[in-house]
Amino acid sequence: MAISKTLNELARHVGGEIVGDGDTIIHRVASIDEASAGEITFLNNPQYRRFLRECRASAVIVGREAPGEIQTGGRLNFLRCSDPYVAFAKISQLFSPAPRFNGKISPGSYVHDSAKVDEGATIFPYVWIGAGAQVGKNSVVFPGVFIGENAVIGSDCLLHANVVVREGCRLGDRVILHAGVVIGSDGFGYAGRGSDRVKIPQSGIVVIEDDVEIGANTTVDRATLGRTTIKQGVKIDNLVQIAHNVTVGEFSVIAAQVGIAGSTRIGKNVTLAGQVGVVNHIEIGEGAVIGPQSGVPQSVPPGAVLSGGVAAAPHNEWLKVMTLLPQLPKLWSSVRRLEKQLAQLLRTGEKEPDRDAGR
Amino acid sequence: MAISKTLNELARHVGGEIVGDGDTIIHRVASIDEASAGEITFLNNPQYRRFLRECRASAVIVGREAPGEIQTGGRLNFLRCSDPYVAFAKISQLFSPAPRFNGKISPGSYVHDSAKVDEGATIFPYVWIGAGAQVGKNSVVFPGVFIGENAVIGSDCLLHANVVVREGCRLGDRVILHAGVVIGSDGFGYAGRGSDRVKIPQSGIVVIEDDVEIGANTTVDRATLGRTTIKQGVKIDNLVQIAHNVTVGEFSVIAAQVGIAGSTRIGKNVTLAGQVGVVNHIEIGEGAVIGPQSGVPQSVPPGAVLSGGVAAAPHNEWLKVMTLLPQLPKLWSSVRRLEKQLAQLLRTGEKEPDRDAGR
Amino acid sequence: MAISKTLNELARHVGGEIVGDGDTIIHRVASIDEASAGEITFLNNPQYRRFLRECRASAVIVGREAPGEIQTGGRLNFLRCSDPYVAFAKISQLFSPAPRFNGKISPGSYVHDSAKVDEGATIFPYVWIGAGAQVGKNSVVFPGVFIGENAVIGSDCLLHANVVVREGCRLGDRVILHAGVVIGSDGFGYAGRGSDRVKIPQSGIVVIEDDVEIGANTTVDRATLGRTTIKQGVKIDNLVQIAHNVTVGEFSVIAAQVGIAGSTRIGKNVTLAGQVGVVNHIEIGEGAVIGPQSGVPQSVPPGAVLSGGVAAAPHNEWLKVMTLLPQLPKLWSSVRRLEKQLAQLLRTGEKEPDRDAGR
């Protein structure tokens, strides 16, 4: 907790320069409205500029194109850099070192004889690790985690309490699974109807690549055949559903409560905002951004920026609109009829002069 | 199970009066269509009035403004009070006493030496309680629960099976967390893009005040800095997502599958219906009511009653409407053009007499 | 893993006939684009017909009405049957036999003295089974599962890791609960407002009939009084919320992230697509199909096919539409006014000849 860095050290760490006293000692990060002496904060959103005046932080991280703030009197020290938010994140990491774990297998856990737990890995009590499973170097497995047979957990992973990784699924290195995540549950697949419905065995696996982070109680289903893939650097929030045979491309970001149906391919660097629903067997192109609550019924080209849904409005107004909405086809016809009638009327009107002329 | 109360006792308990035989013995509550002798039921929704005729309950709780029911022949006993639903709830509690637990720490659980478990608290097997954590008087911690280091659980709390309360988070008294709830998972925060993305350490906590109840598999993220706060008396349903740094005001009610994005402030006595999504950094004013599935993209004033979304309609009709909806701007232009043309035509029409006059 | 069947055996198993060499040996199923020698695949979706040409499978399951594929040269063997997808599912099951479990109660689990675990049931470590609970023949209970007092689990059930079945709830035979499922959490019921709010005890249970499968982290609340019922053969996907006193009819299918509010009755053979929300106290008729993300605000007749919501569109276009949508009532009035004015104009126009005639 008692970490101390000078501003100069921090500037070197993030590649920025100091305007003010580089020997100032910093112990912690804080938000701009709450920071006090010994703390560093940041200014990214211009909306927060108003807090600068009263700010009691020992330093403020600012962008390069913000010289105005820096001349407010010299009271504050500034760390100027190209991306203040990224710099804040890096400095915040410096002051929040990962907790240390004991690197031991608790005798209160179950590890099958044929499972392999690498050096430095910490296995808490009430963890169950099946036959043939592997846990890599320095990974931490919290209480209540289930690691199925032949599942593979890479190095430096963090599996929070009550995570489930079912048989055969594979995690890369530095993967973080938050509490209650389920990896490798059966995909939702049946053939036939009613009492003749037959379950399609879900024999595939889930592959999660390096540096993926998955939020609490999110579920990722195993493939029917083959694999469900979460590629390198993907970040997934809480309570998200990823169905069987889905692929999520590198560095994509998926917000809370999103649902992605079976076999859909999400490209690289895609952003899905909260509660988005994506149908099955489509493709979302690289870099696409889908706004909150949108339903995505068909493939989306790379780079597309889509929104969907109807925002909340005062109930009575919304009720009137929703009563009229189903009548849109009728309204459309009315307008078309009016256009025709008027066009005819105008044509008649145009002819009149001729008639007049003929008089 | 063998609890017996006279109608007079129940009337005193809820502040009501008896029409009928106050010495009638009641053993249980039941719904109006299923109640039989020895049971008390209630009539709140007028739709259920039709069940009164055949009702075989020993007594019916009714409102003060419902004298009609009371004169249906004297066959039934009535308990009249100002709010029959609240009275029913209170009487139902009388007949559903909390189960007794043994008030012991199971030897099959793990409690760190420096953790403090108060007298009367029950710790089931397979519970893990970290260093410096506290569990208050008479709280019950079911199997599979994880309580992280320095987390604080108040008195008379109920943590159902497989709940996770991560390090440093704090619960008040009489808090109920249903099975699978996750408190204090990392907020979803990153800076930068693609392979340069940096995780922002989530160093804050979650504070849950007294008398809060949270539904199964709901997730509440810890703050980036500071705290995520669920204030006194808040009730949250299943599978809800509360992001980092959110505040939910006193006595607010949040239905299932709602998602609230980061730093948003929900006021006091707010109601969010099922599957509502609320964006980040906004404020929902005291007493506001947001209808099911609504997306809330901006701040909402106190007392507002909002709805959103498009209700399900027959697929073919909906398809027609949705094909026309994107053409709304075009329709609008058509109407404006028609208005202009017609206005001109009418003006011309008005001038015509003049022309005629000039002939 | 080393299962071998001849095509003839497979044809007999699913009731189909072979076009080609019935003695061909099959070891596995595979998808049509990845299958190789020794594997059988299927052709159901005509979109995949293009893969047939290059297909290296030892056999392809096809429908009866697809003779074209069968005459592409005799290179491939075909298994013709009435429903290729069902046949594929059945053959896939042949090649994916259920894993064997040891049929023992782990000494690392807790089973109350008065609980009854039938012969052949497997109880993994860290399972907790309360007083009076029952687990039927050959059922498998994975680590971290909680089975509350007097709960009943039928025969041949599969309860994956960290499932919670609370007190008194009852499962039929061959029920599969995926990891993290919560059965019997309290329904969301309160009477009164603000600080006077009273919890309504949730004293009912959940009854799950035979052959039901429920996806990871789904929650099913216990009834207030009586029961929440999931009938025979129902299939429910991940992260679904089923509220108290709901009934889901036989063989209905509920996709991921659906929410069903209290006391609603879902009929037989109903399909609810992903993220659908259904309000409380309504009825969805037999065989109804509700499209993804739809909100269902009122009862739905049997056989209805409904859709809802607004699909994602390019953000700027969507913004224009959403700005105009609230003005739909105004647009409507404009059109009505135009119609009146034009009708009047036309009537005037019709009269004009008379006037002319009078000249």
Side-chain angles (χ1 to χ4, degrees), chain A residues 184-209:
Chain A
S185 38
D186 283 7
F188 196 60
Y190 306 91
R193 305 209 59 212
S195 56
D196 295 328
R197 189 174 286 129
V198 185
K199 178 175 170 72
I200 299 170
Q202 303 291 308
S203 313
I205 61 168
V206 176
V207 173
I208 296 180
E209 297 185 356

Side-chain angles (χ1 to χ4, degrees), chain A residues 3-5 10 24-30 35-41 56-59 95:
Chain A
I3 297 170
S4 297
K5 301 274 173 192
L10 296 181
T24 307
I25 303 286
I26 305 292
H27 299 288
R28 252 199 319 223
V29 296
S36 60
E39 296 179 334
I40 188 166
T41 186
R56 292 167 298 121
S58 287
F95 289 111

Side-chain angles (χ1 to χ4, degrees), chain A residues 233-244:
Chain A
V234 167
K235 309 297 181 187
I236 301 178
D237 201 350
N238 298 353
L239 293 169
V240 169
Q241 150 72 351
I242 311 276
H244 48 183

Side-chain angles (χ1 to χ4, degrees), chain B residues 1-15 25-29 40 61 79 85-100, chain C residues 198-203 225:
Chain B
M1 286 297 191
I3 297 171
S4 297
K5 302 274 173 192
T6 66
L7 261 187
N8 281 330
E9 287 174 308
L10 297 181
R12 272 197 301 277
H13 184 65
V14 300
I25 303 287
I26 304 292
H27 299 289
R28 253 197 322 222
V29 296
I40 189 166
I61 309 168
L79 193 170
Y85 198 42
V86 167
F88 169 75
K90 287 180 177 168
I91 289 172
S92 185
Q93 286 184 346
L94 268 192
F95 289 110
S96 309
R100 294 277 176 81
Chain C
V198 184
K199 179 175 170 70
I200 299 170
Q202 303 292 307
S203 313
L225 299 166

Side-chain angles (χ1 to χ4, degrees), chain A:
Chain A
M1 287 297 189
I3 297 170
S4 297
K5 301 274 173 192
T6 66
L7 260 187
N8 282 329
E9 288 175 306
L10 296 181
R12 273 198 300 276
H13 185 65
V14 300
E17 61 266 12
I18 299 300
V19 180
D21 179 7
D23 293 327
T24 307
I25 303 286
I26 305 292
H27 299 288
R28 252 199 319 223
V29 296
S31 60
I32 196 164
D33 53 329
E34 294 187 337
S36 60
E39 296 179 334
I40 188 166
T41 186
F42 73 108
L43 179 64
N44 194 38
N45 188 336
Q47 284 199 318
Y48 287 85
R49 205 168 285 188
R50 59 196 164 97
F51 288 112
L52 212 53
R53 217 180 173 177
E54 308 267 299
C55 181
R56 292 167 298 121
S58 287
V60 183
I61 310 168
V62 293
R64 289 232 156 75
E65 63 302 332
E69 278 84 2
I70 303 188
Q71 289 149 13
T72 52
R75 193 179 55 83
L76 287 165
N77 299 305
F78 292 94
L79 193 169
R80 271 174 43 159
C81 57
S82 54
D83 188 332
Y85 198 43
V86 167
F88 169 75
K90 286 180 177 169
I91 289 173
S92 185
Q93 286 184 348
L94 269 191
F95 289 111
S96 310
R100 293 277 176 81
F101 297 97
N102 67 15
K104 291 180 179 162
I105 301 177
S106 163
S109 66
Y110 170 91
V111 181
H112 191 275
D113 286 346
S114 66
K116 185 168 166 292
V117 176
D118 285 353
E119 209 183 337
T122 301
I123 311 295
F124 276 81
Y126 319 132
V127 167
W128 191 93
I129 302 181
Q134 299 176 38
V135 177
K137 223 171 49 176
N138 298 325
S139 283
V140 179
V141 182
F142 273 90
V145 170
F146 172 89
I147 299 177
E149 296 182 358
N150 300 309
V152 176
I153 312 297
S155 301
D156 298 299
C157 289
L158 196 48
L159 273 60
H160 281 280
N162 296 341
V163 159
V164 173
V165 179
R166 274 185 49 189
E167 67 276 14
C169 294
R170 282 151 44 183
L171 276 60
D173 298 336
R174 297 173 302 282
V175 170
I176 301 173
L177 302 184
H178 286 285
V181 162
V182 177
I183 303 294
S185 38
D186 283 7
F188 196 60
Y190 306 91
R193 305 209 59 212
S195 56
D196 295 328
R197 189 174 286 129
V198 185
K199 178 175 170 72
I200 299 170
Q202 303 291 308
S203 313
I205 61 168
V206 176
V207 173
I208 296 180
E209 297 185 356
D210 295 346
D211 299 301
V212 167
E213 182 165 1
I214 300 185
N217 284 346
T218 280
T219 59
V220 183
D221 281 349
R222 65 197 310 113
T224 307
L225 299 166
R227 48 180 69 179
T228 303
T229 307
I230 312 293
K231 294 205 170 171
Q232 194 196 341
V234 167
K235 309 297 181 187
I236 301 178
D237 201 350
N238 298 353
L239 293 169
V240 169
Q241 150 72 351
I242 311 276
H244 48 183
N245 295 84
V246 163
T247 296
V248 180
E250 289 88 346
F251 306 114
S252 286
V253 172
I254 300 178
Q257 296 177 319
V258 165
I260 303 175
S263 299
T264 280
R265 302 179 63 87
I266 308 291
K268 210 171 152 174
N269 285 318
V270 165
T271 302
L272 304 181
Q275 298 185 333
V276 160
V278 184
V279 301
N280 57 357
H281 288 280
I282 67 166
E283 196 155 346
I284 298 199
E286 182 173 340
V289 176
I290 316 286
Q293 289 195 324
S294 303
V296 184
Q298 58 195 27
S299 287
V300 171
V305 179
L306 306 189
S307 292
V310 176
H315 181 72
N316 287 334
E317 293 173 28
W318 172 85
L319 214 59
K320 276 181 210 158
V321 172
M322 288 303 139
T323 309
L324 292 175
L325 190 61
Q327 314 211 40
L328 207 50
K330 227 151 101 188
L331 186 66
W332 196 262
S333 307
S334 297
V335 172
R336 286 288 161 267
R337 198 181 320 116
L338 281 168
E339 282 177 333
K340 263 186 215 160
Q341 291 177 329
L342 200 63
Q344 203 170 4
L345 207 62
L346 288 171
R347 237 177 296 130
T348 317
E350 276 163 14
K351 280 181 197 152
E352 270 180 357
D354 292 40
R355 260 202 291 161
D356 286 356
R359 270 184 199 172

